Amino acid sequence: MILLIIIGMALVTIVPRFVPAYIVDKVHFPNWVNRWLNAIPYAALGALIFPGILTVIPDKPHIGFFGALTAVVLSFLGLNIIIAVIGATLTVYVLTM
Amino acid sequence: MIQKGVAKGFPIMLGYLPIAITYGVLGEQAGMSVTEITLMSVMVFAGASQFMGVNMIALGTGAMEIIIATFVLNFRHFVMSLSFMNRVRGIGLKWKVPLSFGLTDETFAVASLHPEKAKEENGGYFYAALMLTAYSSWVIGSFLGGVLGDIVPSSLSQSMGIALYAMFIGLLIPSVKKEWRVGLIAVFAMLINYSASFIMSQGWAIVLGTVLGGFIGIPLLKEDEKE
């Protein structure tokens, strides 16, 4: 039963991932579509960050907020992304102690 | 190229390991065998949907419901894949199809910020190495979580939950510093996702935020081209 679930989950995840590989090979997009697609990474990052980050500690949204703030400040200072990840994790760890 | 790909995949690895271990622990608690836990990571490779799947398995939800919910949650990868494949047109179908299997929120975000590699010689190896670094840490972490069970202190694993979000922020901020319009696109997507989350599932809200947020890029990035 669990195997069936895994296979089903894999299929519905994989198909939307690889269909675009064929689409872009067959079709040439007008300029505005290219601009839209080039904006997608930034839009996706935005949608993935907020409001999800507030649910890191489900009933304490402020902890996620301060973790985010640490990551924003550290990356704004031009520090490596790994430092931002470690800094945010430590912030959440300290605040949940 | 391979080395550069692994280097760019390293932060993803750092974010994936603790989360994969947590997933493995939860899977074990849901009554899944280590083989099933690992197999799901090998075959699905999509963190959020695996957590949801394990949760629903633990609740005894039917297979069809779990599969449909997975489709809804992961449909955002269709939009991401379309964007990524359009950026790396040059590398050919023999690269694009295998790379598409390795596309997650995180590998997409990192790979998309390096579109120039697709124009370089052997650029395909860069993306493949990046994705395999992420993939292997996800699979190994899941296996470890399943085997070790509940030995990671919960306060630590809970704090690790912010790792991937922090990574997304760490990817976004340098781009915003270079071009403020990019930040506007992201904020727009955040607001749409937030508003939509009241009336639809999390999966569709993220899809809508990404698609509509991208639309504001059409006029914004146009000005960029003129300059």
Side-chain angles (χ1 to χ4, degrees), chain B residues 1-2 4-5 87-92 94-95 113-127:
Chain B
M1 273 299 168
I2 293 177
K4 283 181 193 161
R87 284 189 164 205
V88 298
R89 272 173 185 271
I91 61 171
K94 72 168 181 11
W95 275 114
L113 297 178
H114 297 280
E116 75 286 351
K117 292 285 186 296
K119 295 187 184 77
E120 292 172 25
E121 208 182 334
N122 294 327
Y125 287 103
F126 170 79
Y127 302 112

mmCIF file of all heavy atoms in Angstrom, chain B residues 1-2 4-5 87-92 94-95 113-127:
data_model
loop_
_atom_site.group_PDB
_atom_site.id
_atom_site.type_symbol
_atom_site.label_atom_id
_atom_site.label_comp_id
_atom_site.label_asym_id
_atom_site.label_seq_id
_atom_site.Cartn_x
_atom_site.Cartn_y
_atom_site.Cartn_z
ATOM 1 N N MET B 1 33.844 22.345 -13.877
ATOM 2 C CA MET B 1 32.396 22.541 -13.856
ATOM 3 C C MET B 1 31.733 21.725 -12.750
ATOM 4 O O MET B 1 30.858 22.210 -12.051
ATOM 5 C CB MET B 1 31.795 22.111 -15.206
ATOM 6 C CG MET B 1 31.796 23.215 -16.232
ATOM 7 S SD MET B 1 30.819 24.620 -15.688
ATOM 8 C CE MET B 1 31.294 25.831 -16.892
ATOM 9 N N ILE B 2 32.207 20.460 -12.634
ATOM 10 C CA ILE B 2 31.623 19.596 -11.606
ATOM 11 C C ILE B 2 31.895 20.172 -10.217
ATOM 12 O O ILE B 2 30.992 20.260 -9.373
ATOM 13 C CB ILE B 2 32.179 18.158 -11.732
ATOM 14 C CG1 ILE B 2 31.664 17.541 -13.057
ATOM 15 C CG2 ILE B 2 31.758 17.289 -10.538
ATOM 16 C CD1 ILE B 2 32.185 16.165 -13.347
ATOM 17 N N LYS B 4 32.502 23.291 -9.430
ATOM 18 C CA LYS B 4 31.707 24.509 -9.211
ATOM 19 C C LYS B 4 30.268 24.152 -8.841
ATOM 20 O O LYS B 4 29.651 24.795 -8.004
ATOM 21 C CB LYS B 4 31.703 25.379 -10.476
ATOM 22 C CG LYS B 4 32.979 26.151 -10.672
ATOM 23 C CD LYS B 4 32.888 27.001 -11.937
ATOM 24 C CE LYS B 4 34.259 27.532 -12.318
ATOM 25 N NZ LYS B 4 34.308 27.954 -13.733
ATOM 26 N N GLY B 5 29.747 23.119 -9.503
ATOM 27 C CA GLY B 5 28.378 22.676 -9.218
ATOM 28 C C GLY B 5 28.243 22.160 -7.797
ATOM 29 O O GLY B 5 27.285 22.486 -7.089
ATOM 30 N N ARG B 87 15.709 29.083 -19.734
ATOM 31 C CA ARG B 87 16.995 29.758 -19.532
ATOM 32 C C ARG B 87 18.167 28.943 -20.039
ATOM 33 O O ARG B 87 19.206 29.482 -20.379
ATOM 34 C CB ARG B 87 17.221 30.032 -18.041
ATOM 35 C CG ARG B 87 16.414 31.182 -17.553
ATOM 36 C CD ARG B 87 16.839 31.553 -16.159
ATOM 37 N NE ARG B 87 16.329 32.882 -15.858
ATOM 38 C CZ ARG B 87 16.873 33.694 -14.966
ATOM 39 N NH1 ARG B 87 17.922 33.311 -14.295
ATOM 40 N NH2 ARG B 87 16.365 34.873 -14.751
ATOM 41 N N VAL B 88 18.012 27.628 -20.026
ATOM 42 C CA VAL B 88 19.145 26.781 -20.403
ATOM 43 C C VAL B 88 18.891 26.088 -21.743
ATOM 44 O O VAL B 88 19.397 24.995 -21.982
ATOM 45 C CB VAL B 88 19.481 25.733 -19.310
ATOM 46 C CG1 VAL B 88 19.878 26.424 -18.013
ATOM 47 C CG2 VAL B 88 18.317 24.788 -19.050
ATOM 48 N N ARG B 89 18.122 26.760 -22.612
ATOM 49 C CA ARG B 89 17.802 26.183 -23.915
ATOM 50 C C ARG B 89 19.019 25.565 -24.611
ATOM 51 O O ARG B 89 18.910 24.539 -25.258
ATOM 52 C CB ARG B 89 17.237 27.276 -24.840
ATOM 53 C CG ARG B 89 15.755 27.454 -24.722
ATOM 54 C CD ARG B 89 15.298 28.651 -25.526
ATOM 55 N NE ARG B 89 13.885 28.902 -25.319
ATOM 56 C CZ ARG B 89 12.923 28.347 -26.055
ATOM 57 N NH1 ARG B 89 13.221 27.559 -27.055
ATOM 58 N NH2 ARG B 89 11.660 28.594 -25.792
ATOM 59 N N GLY B 90 20.159 26.245 -24.458
ATOM 60 C CA GLY B 90 21.349 25.841 -25.216
ATOM 61 C C GLY B 90 21.866 24.439 -24.933
ATOM 62 O O GLY B 90 22.574 23.864 -25.760
ATOM 63 N N ILE B 91 21.543 23.861 -23.773
ATOM 64 C CA ILE B 91 22.255 22.630 -23.399
ATOM 65 C C ILE B 91 21.671 21.359 -24.000
ATOM 66 O O ILE B 91 22.249 20.294 -23.835
ATOM 67 C CB ILE B 91 22.370 22.464 -21.855
ATOM 68 C CG1 ILE B 91 20.989 22.388 -21.215
ATOM 69 C CG2 ILE B 91 23.185 23.585 -21.244
ATOM 70 C CD1 ILE B 91 21.046 22.020 -19.747
ATOM 71 N N GLY B 92 20.548 21.436 -24.693
ATOM 72 C CA GLY B 92 20.046 20.251 -25.410
ATOM 73 C C GLY B 92 19.169 19.338 -24.577
ATOM 74 O O GLY B 92 19.264 19.293 -23.343
ATOM 75 N N LYS B 94 19.119 16.164 -24.221
ATOM 76 C CA LYS B 94 19.747 15.039 -23.511
ATOM 77 C C LYS B 94 20.177 15.458 -22.095
ATOM 78 O O LYS B 94 20.289 14.618 -21.205
ATOM 79 C CB LYS B 94 20.925 14.482 -24.309
ATOM 80 C CG LYS B 94 22.167 15.353 -24.347
ATOM 81 C CD LYS B 94 23.322 14.546 -24.921
ATOM 82 C CE LYS B 94 24.663 15.196 -25.034
ATOM 83 N NZ LYS B 94 25.051 16.408 -24.468
ATOM 84 N N TRP B 95 20.368 16.753 -21.881
ATOM 85 C CA TRP B 95 20.628 17.261 -20.533
ATOM 86 C C TRP B 95 19.332 17.645 -19.833
ATOM 87 O O TRP B 95 19.161 17.414 -18.641
ATOM 88 C CB TRP B 95 21.519 18.523 -20.588
ATOM 89 C CG TRP B 95 22.980 18.222 -20.650
ATOM 90 C CD1 TRP B 95 23.824 18.484 -21.692
ATOM 91 C CD2 TRP B 95 23.783 17.612 -19.634
ATOM 92 N NE1 TRP B 95 25.086 18.070 -21.388
ATOM 93 C CE2 TRP B 95 25.097 17.535 -20.124
ATOM 94 C CE3 TRP B 95 23.513 17.124 -18.350
ATOM 95 C CZ2 TRP B 95 26.133 16.993 -19.387
ATOM 96 C CZ3 TRP B 95 24.552 16.586 -17.607
ATOM 97 C CH2 TRP B 95 25.849 16.514 -18.136
ATOM 98 N N LEU B 113 20.000 31.178 -10.756
ATOM 99 C CA LEU B 113 20.839 32.357 -10.566
ATOM 100 C C LEU B 113 22.178 32.199 -11.289
ATOM 101 O O LEU B 113 23.006 33.095 -11.273
ATOM 102 C CB LEU B 113 21.045 32.627 -9.070
ATOM 103 C CG LEU B 113 19.745 32.948 -8.301
ATOM 104 C CD1 LEU B 113 20.026 33.161 -6.824
ATOM 105 C CD2 LEU B 113 19.045 34.179 -8.871
ATOM 106 N N HIS B 114 22.361 31.049 -11.940
ATOM 107 C CA HIS B 114 23.583 30.844 -12.733
ATOM 108 C C HIS B 114 23.253 30.415 -14.157
ATOM 109 O O HIS B 114 23.709 29.373 -14.615
ATOM 110 C CB HIS B 114 24.477 29.796 -12.058
ATOM 111 C CG HIS B 114 24.944 30.229 -10.707
ATOM 112 N ND1 HIS B 114 25.992 31.088 -10.518
ATOM 113 C CD2 HIS B 114 24.461 29.962 -9.478
ATOM 114 C CE1 HIS B 114 26.137 31.328 -9.234
ATOM 115 N NE2 HIS B 114 25.216 30.659 -8.563
ATOM 116 N N PRO B 115 22.451 31.250 -14.863
ATOM 117 C CA PRO B 115 22.064 30.873 -16.228
ATOM 118 C C PRO B 115 23.250 30.910 -17.195
ATOM 119 O O PRO B 115 23.227 30.259 -18.227
ATOM 120 C CB PRO B 115 21.016 31.924 -16.608
ATOM 121 C CG PRO B 115 21.323 33.090 -15.750
ATOM 122 C CD PRO B 115 21.889 32.551 -14.474
ATOM 123 N N GLU B 116 24.307 31.646 -16.811
ATOM 124 C CA GLU B 116 25.453 31.809 -17.719
ATOM 125 C C GLU B 116 26.179 30.482 -17.974
ATOM 126 O O GLU B 116 26.789 30.292 -19.023
ATOM 127 C CB GLU B 116 26.436 32.854 -17.160
ATOM 128 C CG GLU B 116 27.310 32.416 -15.969
ATOM 129 C CD GLU B 116 26.569 32.328 -14.631
ATOM 130 O OE1 GLU B 116 25.394 32.767 -14.581
ATOM 131 O OE2 GLU B 116 27.158 31.809 -13.666
ATOM 132 N N LYS B 117 26.045 29.550 -17.027
ATOM 133 C CA LYS B 117 26.743 28.259 -17.184
ATOM 134 C C LYS B 117 26.229 27.468 -18.393
ATOM 135 O O LYS B 117 26.957 26.684 -18.989
ATOM 136 C CB LYS B 117 26.574 27.402 -15.919
ATOM 137 C CG LYS B 117 27.305 27.963 -14.707
ATOM 138 C CD LYS B 117 28.792 27.736 -14.800
ATOM 139 C CE LYS B 117 29.538 28.155 -13.542
ATOM 140 N NZ LYS B 117 29.463 29.597 -13.267
ATOM 141 N N ALA B 118 24.950 27.716 -18.765
ATOM 142 C CA ALA B 118 24.371 26.980 -19.889
ATOM 143 C C ALA B 118 25.061 27.348 -21.200
ATOM 144 O O ALA B 118 25.024 26.585 -22.164
ATOM 145 C CB ALA B 118 22.869 27.260 -19.992
ATOM 146 N N LYS B 119 25.673 28.529 -21.227
ATOM 147 C CA LYS B 119 26.329 28.975 -22.465
ATOM 148 C C LYS B 119 27.780 28.537 -22.520
ATOM 149 O O LYS B 119 28.423 28.596 -23.561
ATOM 150 C CB LYS B 119 26.229 30.497 -22.583
ATOM 151 C CG LYS B 119 24.791 30.975 -22.752
ATOM 152 C CD LYS B 119 24.728 32.465 -23.032
ATOM 153 C CE LYS B 119 23.294 32.945 -23.099
ATOM 154 N NZ LYS B 119 22.663 33.096 -21.768
ATOM 155 N N GLU B 120 28.302 28.097 -21.362
ATOM 156 C CA GLU B 120 29.697 27.664 -21.343
ATOM 157 C C GLU B 120 29.806 26.202 -21.768
ATOM 158 O O GLU B 120 28.833 25.461 -21.731
ATOM 159 C CB GLU B 120 30.276 27.846 -19.926
ATOM 160 C CG GLU B 120 30.416 29.311 -19.546
ATOM 161 C CD GLU B 120 30.795 29.496 -18.074
ATOM 162 O OE1 GLU B 120 31.395 28.571 -17.499
ATOM 163 O OE2 GLU B 120 30.471 30.556 -17.524
ATOM 164 N N GLU B 121 31.013 25.821 -22.129
ATOM 165 C CA GLU B 121 31.235 24.438 -22.525
ATOM 166 C C GLU B 121 31.033 23.510 -21.325
ATOM 167 O O GLU B 121 31.428 23.845 -20.210
ATOM 168 C CB GLU B 121 32.672 24.297 -23.063
ATOM 169 C CG GLU B 121 32.794 23.175 -24.068
ATOM 170 C CD GLU B 121 34.228 23.020 -24.562
ATOM 171 O OE1 GLU B 121 34.974 24.021 -24.525
ATOM 172 O OE2 GLU B 121 34.582 21.911 -24.956
ATOM 173 N N ASN B 122 30.416 22.369 -21.543
ATOM 174 C CA ASN B 122 30.137 21.398 -20.484
ATOM 175 C C ASN B 122 29.288 21.969 -19.359
ATOM 176 O O ASN B 122 29.366 21.512 -18.217
ATOM 177 C CB ASN B 122 31.439 20.837 -19.879
ATOM 178 C CG ASN B 122 32.213 20.019 -20.898
ATOM 179 O OD1 ASN B 122 31.601 19.372 -21.760
ATOM 180 N ND2 ASN B 122 33.524 20.056 -20.822
ATOM 181 N N GLY B 123 28.476 22.978 -19.674
ATOM 182 C CA GLY B 123 27.646 23.614 -18.659
ATOM 183 C C GLY B 123 26.688 22.639 -17.992
ATOM 184 O O GLY B 123 26.349 22.792 -16.821
ATOM 185 N N GLY B 124 26.260 21.627 -18.738
ATOM 186 C CA GLY B 124 25.330 20.639 -18.187
ATOM 187 C C GLY B 124 25.866 19.974 -16.932
ATOM 188 O O GLY B 124 25.113 19.675 -16.000
ATOM 189 N N TYR B 125 27.201 19.772 -16.904
ATOM 190 C CA TYR B 125 27.801 19.123 -15.732
ATOM 191 C C TYR B 125 27.642 19.973 -14.481
ATOM 192 O O TYR B 125 27.539 19.445 -13.374
ATOM 193 C CB TYR B 125 29.297 18.858 -15.970
ATOM 194 C CG TYR B 125 29.542 17.727 -16.938
ATOM 195 C CD1 TYR B 125 29.922 17.974 -18.249
ATOM 196 C CD2 TYR B 125 29.396 16.403 -16.520
ATOM 197 C CE1 TYR B 125 30.145 16.937 -19.144
ATOM 198 C CE2 TYR B 125 29.619 15.360 -17.405
ATOM 199 C CZ TYR B 125 29.989 15.626 -18.718
ATOM 200 O OH TYR B 125 30.202 14.598 -19.576
ATOM 201 N N PHE B 126 27.640 21.308 -14.647
ATOM 202 C CA PHE B 126 27.478 22.203 -13.506
ATOM 203 C C PHE B 126 26.132 21.951 -12.822
ATOM 204 O O PHE B 126 26.070 21.715 -11.616
ATOM 205 C CB PHE B 126 27.573 23.661 -13.972
ATOM 206 C CG PHE B 126 27.175 24.662 -12.924
ATOM 207 C CD1 PHE B 126 28.054 25.012 -11.913
ATOM 208 C CD2 PHE B 126 25.906 25.233 -12.937
ATOM 209 C CE1 PHE B 126 27.681 25.919 -10.931
ATOM 210 C CE2 PHE B 126 25.526 26.145 -11.965
ATOM 211 C CZ PHE B 126 26.422 26.490 -10.961
ATOM 212 N N TYR B 127 25.059 21.957 -13.635
ATOM 213 C CA TYR B 127 23.720 21.763 -13.067
ATOM 214 C C TYR B 127 23.556 20.349 -12.518
ATOM 215 O O TYR B 127 22.939 20.140 -11.474
ATOM 216 C CB TYR B 127 22.646 22.054 -14.124
ATOM 217 C CG TYR B 127 22.737 23.448 -14.684
ATOM 218 C CD1 TYR B 127 23.116 23.663 -16.000
ATOM 219 C CD2 TYR B 127 22.465 24.547 -13.884
ATOM 220 C CE1 TYR B 127 23.212 24.941 -16.521
ATOM 221 C CE2 TYR B 127 22.560 25.831 -14.396
ATOM 222 C CZ TYR B 127 22.929 26.030 -15.706
ATOM 223 O OH TYR B 127 23.034 27.293 -16.204
#
